[in-house]
Amino acid sequence: MQRQLGVGISAQLIPGSSDHGSSHQGHQGHQNHGNSGLNATESFLLLDSTHLLKRWNMNRAQSNLWLFAGVGTYQSWDKERVNATRIAARPGLQFDIENTRLRFEAKGQLFLAEGVERSMLSATTGVGLTPPRYQGVQPWLELQVRAMPGVIDEVEIIPKLRLLHRKVVLDVGYSSLGAVTGGITTTF
C-alpha cells in the first residue's frame, strides 16, 4: 500500500432527542440539543479510505489536501427498536498545514444514506508541547470546534490531548456536549 493511501474503520454515533439527558461516553458522538428534528439515535459504521490528493512542502512546514471516502451501514433506532438499516457512504475533504510545533486542520464530511444527509464541519488547531521526537512520543494539546448543522443546534468545543509516535497517533478529548471523543491511527 502506498503512503498516500490509507484504510480503516470508523463509527459515528448520533444520539437522538429521546436520549437527551442521559450520559453518552466512550464514543465519538454528539448530543442532540435544542430544536433539532433528530428523534432516533443514528449510527454510521464505515470502512474508510483516505487518499492524499496534494502535498505542498515548504521550507519549515508542509500542507496537505486529503480526500476521505467511506462505505458501510447506517442504522436508526428508538428505545432499542431498530427503525432502519441502510447502506451508507461518507465523502469528505481535509486541508491541514503544520510544522514541528504548530498545526491547523479544516475538515468537511457528509454522512449519507437513503433519505439521510448529515454534514459535519470541524476546525482544529494544536501546539506541540515538546520538540519532535522521531523515536519517541510527542504530546500535543489541541482545540477542535465542530458543528453538525441541522442535527446539533450548538457548536461543539473539544479540548484534546494528541500523542504522536512515528507509527501511531492517539487522540482523546472531552466535548462541551458531554461526550468523550478519540481515535487511534497506525501505519504498517
Side-chain angles (χ1 to χ4, degrees):
M1 186 170 293
Q2 302 173 359
R3 282 204 174 271
Q4 54 268 57
L5 178 65
V7 295
I9 296 173
S10 68
Q12 182 71 36
L13 181 67
I14 308 167
S17 60
S18 62
D19 294 331
H20 183 67
S22 61
S23 176
H24 296 281
Q25 296 185 1
H27 58 76
Q28 181 174 351
H30 299 279
Q31 299 277 353
N32 185 32
H33 293 272
N35 299 325
S36 296
L38 182 64
N39 293 320
T41 298
E42 298 180 327
S43 68
F44 291 85
L45 181 60
L46 304 168
L47 176 61
D48 290 316
S49 87
T50 304
H51 182 71
L52 178 63
L53 293 177
K54 178 73 176 165
R55 172 167 286 154
W56 296 271
N57 289 314
M58 296 166 264
N59 187 24
R60 294 181 157 236
Q62 76 176 23
S63 61
N64 305 289
L65 182 62
W66 301 92
L67 173 67
F68 298 102
V71 65
T73 63
Y74 161 87
Q75 271 196 330
S76 70
W77 65 92
D78 286 317
K79 298 182 183 174
E80 301 184 34
R81 184 177 67 93
V82 174
N83 297 330
T85 300
R86 300 181 183 128
I87 294 175
R90 193 219 56 231
L93 279 175
Q94 174 183 305
F95 173 78
D96 60 61
I97 185 165
E98 60 187 58
N99 63 24
T100 58
R101 297 297 287 269
L102 299 171
R103 74 183 290 269
F104 172 77
E105 166 190 302
K107 183 189 264 186
Q109 302 176 82
L110 193 57
F111 293 84
L112 302 169
E114 183 183 340
V116 177
E117 185 176 309
R118 308 281 182 247
S119 60
M120 182 187 293
L121 306 169
S122 67
T124 305
T125 186
V127 60
L129 299 177
T130 63
R133 297 181 188 140
Y134 298 106
Q135 298 303 319
V137 175
Q138 182 186 19
W140 286 66
L141 283 181
E142 296 187 338
L143 183 65
Q144 183 178 52
V145 177
R146 189 162 68 176
M148 213 169 192
V151 176
I152 302 169
D153 294 333
E154 59 188 275
V155 173
E156 192 174 14
I157 299 171
I158 307 167
K160 292 183 177 186
L161 175 63
R162 184 177 200 222
L163 302 174
L164 297 176
H165 187 272
R166 195 169 47 104
K167 293 190 174 261
V168 177
V169 178
L170 170 68
D171 68 81
V172 64
Y174 188 74
S175 162
S176 61
L177 301 181
V180 174
T181 66
I184 187 165
T185 305
T186 186
T187 58
F188 299 97

